[in-house]
Amino acid sequence: HMMLDPVTAAARRKRSKKVAPGRFAEDSIHYLGDTVCIWDVNEFLSNRKWREDAVRRSRRADEDELTRSRGAAKKRRGGKAPSRRDRFNDMMERLYEDSLGK
């Protein structure tokens, strides 16, 4: 068995870690060991600013989902998406109507 130079040996090791197609749902993973941990849930939850931002974004997404049906109707009629103010007013109107029990 012939002695390989370090570059060739490293290339051989890299090729031996090739990921078979379909092994992962993510297409851009080509070799084992190429991935890294980009965040840790414990670190994320311990950071108050990050946690509050996530809650705020989640609430905003929920509110957008609630107003989406009315917004879609306006978009069909008017040809453009409703403004943030229109969505807010629609939501307040809906909440008021719901509070009256209609």
Side-chain angles (χ1 to χ4, degrees):
H1 177 283
M2 183 169 101
M3 186 67 154
L4 299 174
D5 66 277
V7 173
T8 305
R12 182 176 282 176
R13 280 193 303 278
K14 178 81 171 183
R15 284 191 305 272
S16 72
K17 295 180 179 184
K18 181 89 172 129
V19 173
R23 182 164 180 194
F24 297 110
E26 177 58 50
D27 296 346
S28 58
I29 299 175
H30 298 290
Y31 297 95
L32 292 176
D34 279 355
T35 60
V36 296
C37 178
I38 57 172
W39 64 279
D40 177 21
V41 72
N42 294 321
E43 181 182 349
F44 179 82
L45 292 175
S46 67
N47 185 319
R48 184 174 154 221
K49 184 177 177 182
W50 293 347
R51 189 177 60 241
E52 288 175 358
D53 183 56
V55 169
R56 181 185 59 78
R57 287 173 185 244
S58 177
R59 284 186 182 145
R60 189 170 178 189
D62 290 345
E63 290 169 0
D64 287 347
E65 186 65 34
L66 289 173
T67 60
R68 189 162 286 136
S69 62
R70 285 189 176 187
K74 281 188 178 182
K75 187 173 181 180
R76 283 191 298 271
R77 286 193 310 265
K80 66 178 192 176
S83 68
R84 195 168 180 179
R85 177 177 287 168
D86 289 340
R87 290 193 317 263
F88 172 79
N89 290 335
D90 287 345
M91 176 174 279
M92 294 308 290
E93 181 182 344
R94 185 188 58 78
L95 291 171
Y96 176 72
E97 289 171 2
D98 289 348
S99 73
L100 297 176
K102 289 185 177 181

